[in-house]
């Protein structure tokens, strides 16, 4: 199953590494990442698309434990048939 995580991160050195590492350690494979500044306070909006067989709620709860992570929203993403690799 493919999921899109919409995160807000605090501006801290290594924040992106911690978020991606958490996803990988929980059995989710990062597929794409996109980010932009979220506001005047220096926070970042990050959109991370991952593949994984585990429940998305597991990843959401773990991401909230990452110190740099302010908020997490997860959305299931449909995979087009052309993207499925057998």
């Amino acid at each position: 199953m493919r999921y899109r995580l919409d995160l807000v991160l605090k501006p801290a050195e290594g924040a992106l590494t911690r978020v991606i590492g958490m996803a990988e350690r929980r059995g989710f494979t990062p597929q794409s990442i996109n980010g932009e500044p979220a506001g005047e306070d220096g926070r970042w909006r990050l959109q991370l698309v991952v593949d994984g067989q585990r429940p998305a709620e597991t990843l959401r709860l773990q991401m909230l434990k990452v110190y740099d992570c302010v908020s997490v929203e997860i959305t299931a993403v449909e995979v087009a048939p052309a993207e499925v690799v057998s």
Side-chain angles (χ1 to χ4, degrees):
M1 186 80 184
R2 187 169 284 184
Y3 302 102
R4 185 186 75 228
L5 285 74
D6 294 301
L7 304 108
V8 176
L9 300 178
K10 295 177 186 175
E13 185 176 328
L16 183 57
T17 303
R18 283 187 283 282
V19 166
I20 293 172
M22 177 67 75
E24 289 179 327
R25 285 189 302 278
R26 296 297 178 255
F28 292 86
T29 306
Q31 297 298 314
S32 69
I33 190 167
N34 189 12
E36 65 183 12
E40 298 299 319
D41 59 358
R43 293 183 179 181
W44 277 82
R45 253 184 229 293
L46 183 69
Q47 198 172 73
L48 177 64
V49 177
V50 297
D51 278 336
Q53 299 303 314
R54 298 184 68 192
E57 185 64 11
T58 301
L59 182 57
R60 187 184 77 78
L61 293 173
Q62 290 298 312
M63 285 293 183
L64 287 172
K65 292 180 181 181
V66 175
Y67 171 77
D68 311 313
C69 193
V70 176
S71 69
V72 181
E73 292 180 24
I74 295 185
T75 307
V77 177
E78 297 270 336
V79 179
E83 292 183 48
V84 176
V85 177
S86 298

